[in-house]
Amino acid sequence: MAAVDLTPRQPRKAYGGEGGAYYEWSPADLPMLGVASIGGAKLSLSAGGLALPSYSDSAKVAYVLQGKGTCGIVLPEASKEKVLAVKEGDALALPFGVVVWWHNLPEATTELVVLFMGDTSKGHKPGQFTNFQLTGANGIFTGFSTEFVGRAWDLAQEDAAKLVSTQSASGIVKLKAGQKLPEPLAGDRDGMVLNCLEAQLDVDIKNGGRVVVLNTQNLPLVKEVGLGADLVRIDGHSMCSPGFSCDSAYQVTYIVRGSGRVQVVGTDGKRVLETRVEGGNLFIVPRFFVVSKIADASGMEWFSIITTPNPIFSHLAGRTSVWKAISPEVLEASFNTSPEMEKLFRSKRLDSEIFFAPN
C-alpha cells in the first residue's frame, strides 16, 4: 500500500461549453481512487447553465461548494420529480438509479459549483463515475433506431428523429433567454438535503475547529448511499489530531478552501505522505492509516466522505485519545520511559478533544 501515490490532485476538465463544465479526477492521476473504488467529480454551471438529466452507475454524495440554484431529482419509481432550491453548504445523498438535473439561475452573479464523491465498486470503471445522459448529443436515445424510439414514445419516425436530433450539446447547455424551469418547492428539501453550514455542530472547539457529520440520523438517505460524510473547519494554525478510521473505511477528502500541511503514516510506522494541500485538492487516506493536518494562517475547510454510513474514528491525541484509556503501567513500558515522563505525557491535552488551537 505504501507504494501507491497518495499525492493530492486537482481534477481535469472532461467536457463543457457555454453553460458550464464537468471536471473529474481520474485513477490515472490519483491511483487510490481505483484502489478504494471511489469516484470524484465537480460540476460548474455558469448563469443560465443546465446540466441535462442523467443517472449514474454509482451512489454519491453531492456537496454544493459555491453559489445557489435548482436541482431536480427523480427517485426510482417516483411519479413526480422533486425540485429543490440548493445553496452553498448543502449536502445531498444520491442513491443508485436517481435521475438528476442541476441549474444555475440566469440572474446568478456567481457559478454554481457542486462536488460529487461516491462509491464506484458496482460501476463500469473502478475509481471513475460513468454518467448516462437521457438527452443531448450523447443521450441514450441517440443510440436507438428511430423505429425503436418511435415505438417507445408513440411517435411517427420522422417526429422521433427530429426530437432526438435537436439537442446538439453534450451534458451541459445554456438556457435560451426567457426559458423557464420549474420553481423549487420548499417541502421537497425535507429528508433530501442537510446544509452543513447551518446544521447543529457535532464538535465545536474554541479557536480550534468545528465539525458537522452527515449520518443516518440527520440525512437518512446516506444509508441507501452507504457513505458517511463530514464538513470540518479548523482555525488558523490549528491542528487536527492524528486519527484513523477504525471500521475499515476509506476517507476521501476535498479541500474546500484555505491551505495547510498534511501527514499520513502507514504500516511499519512509515510516513507515506507529507505535503501541502490547498483549495481544490482531493486526496484519499488508506484504511487504518493515521492522518493529521495543520492549517496555515488562513485556516482550512474540507469535506470528506467515509465509506460507511456511520463512521467511527479513533484519535491518538487529546482528551478522548487511546492513550488516555491505556493504563499508566502499560504506557510506561510501551514507551520505555520513567514514571515522571509518563505522568507529564498523561497530564497534557486533558481538555482538548480532536482540534488543538495554537499555543
Side-chain angles (χ1 to χ4, degrees):
M1 178 58 71
V4 178
D5 182 7
L6 302 180
T7 308
R9 301 288 184 200
Q10 298 271 356
R12 294 175 187 262
K13 184 176 176 179
Y15 60 84
E18 199 185 353
Y22 180 83
Y23 303 82
E24 59 186 3
W25 284 270
S26 156
D29 296 329
L30 193 56
M32 273 303 299
L33 290 172
V35 173
S37 271
I38 294 291
K42 221 161 58 162
L43 173 69
S44 180
L45 293 177
S46 52
L50 171 67
L52 298 171
S54 67
Y55 64 93
S56 177
D57 66 351
S58 305
K60 305 172 186 171
V61 171
Y63 181 71
V64 181
L65 294 166
Q66 178 187 300
K68 55 186 179 181
T70 312
C71 170
I73 298 177
V74 182
L75 295 166
E77 300 183 333
S79 58
K80 190 173 185 296
E81 71 181 353
K82 289 179 179 287
V83 182
L84 290 62
V86 293
K87 61 181 179 178
E88 183 178 336
D90 278 351
L92 300 85
L94 303 174
F96 281 115
V98 299
V99 172
V100 186
W101 54 263
W102 300 85
H103 173 52
N104 191 9
L105 306 175
E107 63 274 17
T109 55
T110 181
E111 291 185 333
L112 174 66
V113 184
V114 186
L115 172 72
F116 302 97
M117 297 196 286
D119 173 16
T120 66
S121 60
K122 295 182 176 71
H124 287 267
K125 295 178 275 188
Q128 208 158 3
F129 300 134
T130 300
N131 298 321
F132 294 84
Q133 303 293 339
L134 295 194
T135 65
N138 58 347
I140 296 294
F141 283 95
T142 59
F144 282 106
S145 67
T146 50
E147 179 200 353
F148 270 63
V149 175
R151 282 290 296 276
W153 291 347
D154 192 20
L155 289 171
Q157 287 198 30
E158 58 268 26
D159 291 330
K162 192 184 295 180
L163 196 58
V164 169
S165 64
T166 50
Q167 183 54 272
S168 58
S170 298
I172 298 171
V173 299
K174 188 173 175 110
L175 291 190
K176 298 188 184 84
Q179 249 182 324
K180 290 276 187 226
L181 290 187
E183 290 291 323
L185 297 168
D188 281 357
R189 279 179 65 92
D190 298 345
M192 299 295 297
V193 184
L194 179 76
N195 188 280
C196 297
L197 300 175
E198 298 170 357
Q200 185 177 342
L201 295 169
D202 292 278
V203 177
D204 185 7
I205 294 167
K206 190 180 179 186
N207 301 325
R210 289 150 296 287
V211 185
V212 169
V213 178
L214 264 72
N215 54 33
T216 53
Q217 273 71 51
N218 55 20
L219 193 61
L221 270 178
V222 301
K223 186 175 183 182
E224 285 187 50
V225 174
L227 302 165
D230 59 21
L231 178 72
V232 180
R233 290 166 282 170
I234 62 174
D235 298 323
H237 300 301
S238 284
M239 179 184 207
C240 182
S241 164
F244 64 95
S245 168
C246 51
D247 45 12
S248 83
Y250 288 99
Q251 189 179 356
V252 188
T253 298
Y254 175 83
I255 307 297
V256 176
R257 58 176 58 84
S259 59
R261 290 177 292 145
V262 61
Q263 291 188 355
V264 177
V265 175
T267 52
D268 298 324
K270 288 196 173 71
R271 192 184 309 150
V272 292
L273 180 67
E274 177 170 17
T275 190
R276 288 193 80 262
V277 288
E278 57 188 21
N281 282 159
L282 185 82
F283 70 100
I284 300 177
V285 178
R287 292 184 293 188
F288 300 110
F289 282 31
V290 179
V291 60
S292 183
K293 307 176 190 78
I294 298 178
D296 290 338
S298 60
M300 188 159 55
E301 180 177 332
W302 63 86
F303 185 82
S304 296
I305 63 163
I306 302 98
T307 56
T308 178
N310 292 304
I312 301 168
F313 286 96
S314 278
H315 289 277
L316 298 177
R319 185 172 65 81
T320 55
S321 84
V322 172
W323 293 118
K324 295 291 190 264
I326 289 177
S327 56
E329 296 82 1
V330 172
L331 198 149
E332 203 178 302
S334 300
F335 278 117
N336 188 24
T337 189
S338 67
E340 292 75 27
M341 181 55 82
E342 188 281 328
K343 282 194 179 67
L344 176 68
F345 178 79
R346 191 176 290 275
S347 70
K348 301 293 186 181
R349 297 269 181 239
L350 293 176
D351 55 352
S352 309
E353 290 210 14
I354 59 170
F355 301 126
F356 312 138
N359 294 329

